[in-house]
Amino acid sequence: MPKDKKKEEVTEVEHVDRNISSFSQISHLIDAEIITRLSLSHNKLTVVPPNIADLISLQSLNLWNNQIEELPPSISSLPKLRILNVGMNKLTKLPKGFGSFSELEILDLTYNNLSERSLPGNFFFMQTLRALYLGDNDFEMLPGDVENLTNLQILVLRENDLLTLPKELGKLTRLRELHIQGNRLAMIPPELGNLELVGSKQVLRLEHNPFIPRIQDQFDENGAAGVWAHIRTDDYRYFFGRQEPSSTPVPPKRNKEKKVSRKGIQQA
């Protein structure tokens, strides 16, 4: 009896770097109705079972650094999940309806093999989301639907293949951190100048992009603050509006074959 009572009181399970390859190995530790935090990072999981949705009190799920290639559609029905970390895995797509989370605030998809083609139609409709980490993936663009993430404060897009940014990003007025370094951006839409991203409490990362000379010069002289001041000028708005999409050469993609998330995955 004492053992059963002890199990009932376990609301947090953390098994990090334990060589776990299946959820069945830890199922005896989990009381589905009361567990609130589950951390299985740095293991060898390849599959997340559909019955993950039975963890009705789960608020935080950390699966960082496993070998997961896909997630079950049921995961988005977790009613209390606020934090989901599936970074450093082998995801190439997200399941249909993934954007149906009702309480999700922090989503980390860093270091996978995701692109704009990997996302379900409702992905950018998670209005509770405060932080979205999409760094080290394969995005070349983001849809204008991103404007629906109205509570977003942190957006990390570093080290992708982004060629453009949607002007709709400028509507995310609560954004305080924007990381777009290490992409293939030549210009920045002037609408992004609406965002207050320069200051001691803000973070704006722009480096390692093949910017056109007028932006790169501003960055070299005055850093990110200089770029932001420049894209807010009428001169830049006029210049940007006159550019043809084909007028700027497309920078080459970077070689990502050595990414950990690529190992063992057949490339198309």
Side-chain angles (χ1 to χ4, degrees):
M1 287 294 290
K3 286 186 178 179
D4 289 342
K5 186 173 182 181
K6 187 175 181 181
K7 179 185 174 183
E8 288 174 8
E9 293 173 350
V10 174
T11 60
E12 300 186 358
V13 174
E14 183 170 327
H15 280 264
V16 175
D17 199 11
R18 300 283 187 90
N19 211 32
I20 296 170
S21 59
S22 170
F23 272 75
S24 62
Q25 293 174 245
I26 51 100
S27 59
H28 63 287
L29 302 171
I30 296 175
D31 186 324
E33 293 188 358
I34 69 169
I35 186 171
T36 60
R37 187 173 73 89
L38 178 59
S39 182
L40 299 172
S41 59
H42 303 284
N43 282 295
K44 296 183 178 179
L45 294 167
T46 58
V47 174
V48 178
N51 66 356
I52 190 76
D54 294 342
L55 308 184
I56 56 174
S57 297
L58 196 65
Q59 297 178 28
S60 175
L61 177 59
N62 186 351
L63 300 174
W64 172 268
N65 192 16
N66 278 276
Q67 299 170 21
I68 300 165
E69 295 188 18
E70 62 179 330
L71 297 171
S74 60
I75 196 170
S76 60
S77 66
L78 286 165
K80 295 185 178 180
L81 195 68
R82 295 187 300 105
I83 301 170
L84 176 60
N85 187 341
V86 282
M88 188 75 86
N89 277 285
K90 296 185 177 183
L91 298 172
T92 57
K93 63 178 180 178
L94 296 177
K96 185 176 180 180
F98 186 81
S100 300
F101 288 101
S102 59
E103 301 291 335
L104 198 65
E105 296 179 15
I106 300 172
L107 175 59
D108 194 338
L109 293 163
T110 306
Y111 223 87
N112 279 284
N113 300 313
L114 299 170
S115 71
E116 58 274 15
R117 295 174 295 280
S118 308
L119 307 180
N122 70 344
F123 181 82
F124 291 105
F125 289 83
M126 293 180 278
Q127 295 190 346
T128 55
L129 209 60
R130 294 187 296 109
L132 176 59
Y133 299 88
L134 293 174
D136 287 284
N137 278 286
D138 300 323
F139 288 92
E140 292 190 355
M141 58 82 71
L142 286 181
D145 284 348
V146 71
E147 70 183 9
N148 293 294
L149 299 178
T150 52
N151 287 300
L152 202 65
Q153 298 174 31
I154 300 172
L155 178 58
V156 178
L157 299 167
R158 62 173 173 78
E159 305 295 335
N160 274 278
D161 288 312
L162 288 169
L163 293 164
T164 62
L165 293 172
K167 64 182 181 180
E168 288 83 359
L169 274 178
K171 297 181 180 181
L172 303 183
T173 55
R174 296 190 178 184
L175 206 65
R176 291 299 175 263
E177 288 192 27
L178 179 61
H179 301 248
I180 53 175
Q181 69 270 35
N183 279 285
R184 300 158 68 197
L185 298 169
M187 291 190 289
I188 297 172
E191 289 83 359
L192 270 63
N194 297 334
L195 304 176
E196 297 296 335
L197 292 172
V198 177
S200 60
K201 296 183 179 180
Q202 290 86 21
V203 178
L204 177 59
R205 298 288 301 276
L206 304 175
E207 65 269 22
H208 306 306
N209 278 291
F211 288 128
I212 58 173
R214 65 188 297 159
I215 294 180
Q216 189 62 48
D217 290 348
Q218 291 291 336
F219 184 77
D220 292 341
E221 291 177 18
N222 302 299
V227 173
W228 231 239
H230 181 66
I231 69 169
R232 288 171 163 174
T233 63
D234 290 340
D235 177 57
Y236 180 76
R237 287 179 179 274
Y238 177 76
F239 171 81
F240 186 89
R242 288 177 59 86
Q243 298 306 300
E244 297 291 335
S246 59
S247 64
T248 305
V250 177
K253 285 188 177 183
R254 291 169 298 123
N255 188 344
K256 297 184 180 181
E257 295 306 313
K258 294 182 179 179
K259 277 180 65 176
V260 173
S261 57
R262 292 293 165 84
K263 291 180 180 179
I265 289 185
Q266 198 77 25
Q267 295 300 299

